[in-house]
Amino acid sequence: MIILVLNSGSSSVKYRLFNMDGERCLAWGVVERIGSRGAILKHNREDGHQIKLAGDISDHTKAIEYVLTILLSPNHGVIKDRSQIDAVGHRVVHGGEEFTESVVIDKVVMHQIHDCIELAPLHNPHNIKGITACRALLKDVPQVAVFDTAFHQQMPDYSYMYGLPYILYKRYSVRRFGFHGTSHRYVSDRAASMLGKPIEELKLITCHLGNGCSTAAVSCGISIDTTMGFTPTEGLLMGTRTGDIDPAALLYIMSREEIGVGEANSLINKHSGLQGISGISNDMRELEEATAKGNERAELAVNMFVYRVKKYIGAYAAAMGGVDGIVFTGGIGENSSEVRKRSLSGLEFIGIELAPELNNSDDSEERFVDKGGRVRVMVIPTNEELVIARDTLELVTGM
Ligand code: ADP
């Protein structure tokens, strides 16, 4: 079965085409700068063939049409006819309280995803555009929605509620939802497999550290707590987001700087975090270089970053009454041995001990990086697209 996986953002569409016999990724790529001049499509084929094409791509329908053309192209493609695509799986950022798992998209589901726009105004409208474009281009091909929030929807109420008047939860669904769920689910399943135990017997802490960062406490395969909240702004320090902050501090800044909601939103999501503290970059590689050269603000940003990861690992070990494994994933989690080392330093008292030679290796495969003690530490490259393809296969073949 051939499955197309799409991740439609505001100005980009990322795609992967899987042959699920053997879970082979036949082709992948991205259309960038949709709607602006100089839109480009970067396309890669399983055999190593790569191309970059410029085009006039005014909207998501044109972008997906372009992707289909490339996938079918005699020179660059991997399939001969559109009819070979058996199903499409879409990443959808917010599924609200409605969606606790992936679903086949029908009219009712479309309405419900629309209803979640209020909760994710920057993401869900673009996910919807991708779905609508596929409906127009691929007619009756079944489509599946896989939600970033779904994996966290079994959190207990005491973990997802905020200490606001209860009526505001009822009125506006203001609560912790959590994000990166597809990634936390994938790496916790892989961790169970690496540990050779059923996930139902494990307490795992999964750290997704990329541009956006979140940690989850996964007990017996269920996310019982996670650092991102009502929006992705809460929790760890991120590339440009504040993470945890006293809400009254933001009100104070809004009053002193005389800024409104729009500017405050931009302040906490686009100008804060590693970028805001260092004044140099949101990119961990650049900050590690600047720290090595003695830049104090870069050092402060990195210190804050690793301290928060450590703090949440401690908190989640307490929340679960122990921990069997810690997983690092995402661009920083997978690649920065320094961040892993510093986030775990001083945690020997709960049984965590990294093996420096394993932690420092450049291996890009999933692996253990600890000394083999009580709490295992793993680096697992995430693969959200594969989870989307697997869910799509399962739902479509079970239809
Ligand atoms: P996104 O959340 O946008 O998918 P990624 O998961 O690709 O982002 O993570 C991007 C982050 O990973 C950036 O901060 C980048 O600096 C960091 N990163 C990538 N490679 C390395 C590396 N070798 N060392 C340190 N940080 C790295």
Side-chain angles (χ1 to χ4, degrees):
M1 177 169 265
I2 304 252
I3 292 177
L4 176 64
V5 172
L6 292 177
N7 179 355
S8 305
S10 59
S11 64
S12 72
V13 173
K14 293 187 187 139
Y15 64 95
R16 268 177 194 262
L17 191 74
F18 286 94
N19 182 341
M20 294 309 282
D21 304 329
E23 294 189 335
R24 279 169 51 210
C25 181
L26 304 175
W28 66 98
V30 60
V31 184
E32 289 172 330
R33 305 175 66 178
I34 297 169
S36 0
R37 277 198 174 176
I40 49 168
L41 181 146
K42 294 179 195 160
H43 175 77
N44 305 269
R45 216 165 50 186
E46 190 188 23
D47 61 8
H49 176 72
Q50 294 182 331
I51 46 154
K52 221 183 205 185
L53 296 166
D56 180 17
I57 305 171
S58 52
D59 58 27
H60 285 68
T61 306
K62 289 235 164 58
I64 294 171
E65 202 163 11
Y66 206 15
V67 170
L68 293 174
T69 308
I70 288 294
L71 291 172
L72 288 162
S73 132
N75 293 333
H76 313 296
V78 285
I79 50 173
K80 293 201 165 62
D81 196 274
R82 276 184 196 198
S83 64
Q84 283 178 267
I85 299 175
D86 296 297
V88 184
H90 295 268
R91 175 190 181 213
V92 179
V93 168
H94 218 307
E97 291 191 311
E98 198 62 52
F99 296 107
T100 55
E101 51 192 25
S102 306
V103 282
V104 175
I105 302 170
D106 58 18
K107 271 192 185 155
V108 177
V109 168
M110 268 312 252
H111 277 296
Q112 289 166 324
I113 298 176
H114 264 281
D115 290 344
C116 295
I117 286 180
E118 278 191 7
L119 298 171
L122 301 179
H123 293 101
N124 275 33
H126 309 295
N127 305 151
I128 289 170
K129 281 184 201 162
I131 298 168
T132 311
C134 284
R135 183 65 70 234
L137 296 164
L138 295 168
K139 305 284 179 245
D140 295 327
V141 172
Q143 302 197 62
V144 166
V146 178
F147 303 93
D148 274 21
T149 48
F151 183 56
H152 303 298
Q153 292 316 298
Q154 291 185 64
M155 281 186 286
D157 52 5
Y158 54 80
S159 134
Y160 70 68
M161 286 298 290
Y162 291 121
L164 289 163
Y166 192 78
I167 187 71
L168 295 175
Y169 162 62
K170 293 311 271 180
R171 214 179 269 163
Y172 305 118
S173 302
V174 175
R175 50 159 285 181
R176 176 181 315 287
F177 285 105
F179 298 86
H180 288 149
T182 314
S183 177
H184 289 294
R185 173 151 72 104
Y186 174 79
V187 297
S188 42
D189 281 344
R190 288 303 314 149
S193 156
M194 286 173 74
L195 293 166
K197 284 197 176 164
I199 197 159
E200 293 75 18
E201 291 175 14
L202 289 169
K203 294 168 179 167
L204 300 168
I205 299 174
T206 51
C207 307
H208 180 113
L209 311 178
N211 259 319
C213 301
S214 67
T215 293
V218 183
S219 182
C220 307
I222 292 170
S223 167
I224 62 144
D225 204 350
T226 188
T227 53
M228 283 180 167
F230 178 63
T231 73
T233 315
E234 195 182 350
L236 301 177
L237 194 77
M238 307 181 216
T240 59
R241 297 187 191 125
T242 54
D244 292 337
I245 178 183
D246 178 351
L250 182 62
L251 298 179
Y252 179 76
I253 291 165
M254 288 172 75
S255 145
R256 294 301 301 259
E257 294 275 316
E258 297 182 7
I259 57 173
V261 173
E263 280 173 287
N265 193 26
S266 166
L267 173 72
I268 58 174
N269 284 302
K270 295 191 175 147
H271 302 290
S272 297
L274 295 173
Q275 170 74 56
I277 296 290
S278 70
I280 297 177
S281 171
N282 64 342
D283 190 300
M284 185 56 83
R285 274 166 299 200
E286 289 184 33
L287 296 184
E288 287 183 348
E289 279 168 31
T291 302
K293 287 182 191 148
N295 184 300
E296 286 179 6
R297 274 173 54 192
E299 191 180 351
L300 172 62
V302 179
N303 287 346
M304 289 171 68
F305 185 92
V306 295
Y307 175 71
R308 277 202 202 173
V309 175
K310 183 189 302 192
K311 196 164 75 166
Y312 273 111
I313 288 174
Y316 287 169
M320 293 191 290
V323 53
D324 301 302
I326 311 239
V327 180
F328 286 94
T329 193
I332 299 174
E334 291 165 32
N335 297 301
S336 176
S337 56
E338 192 63 19
V339 165
R340 291 192 298 265
K341 183 178 93 183
R342 297 190 50 204
S343 303
L344 299 182
S345 75
L347 294 181
E348 294 79 11
F349 76 99
I350 49 173
I352 300 172
E353 240 183 313
L354 279 181
E357 70 287 0
L358 298 178
N359 186 45
N360 293 338
S361 105
D362 285 337
D363 199 341
S364 58
E365 300 295 306
E366 58 185 32
R367 63 194 197 276
F368 288 101
V369 291
D370 64 316
K371 288 189 176 161
R374 190 152 41 91
V375 181
R376 305 304 311 267
V377 184
M378 292 153 273
V379 174
I380 304 181
T382 195
N383 197 340
E384 289 152 293
E385 295 84 1
L386 183 59
V387 177
I388 297 175
R390 283 179 181 163
D391 279 10
T392 305
L393 176 72
E394 195 182 316
L395 283 165
V396 167
T397 49
M399 264 166 74

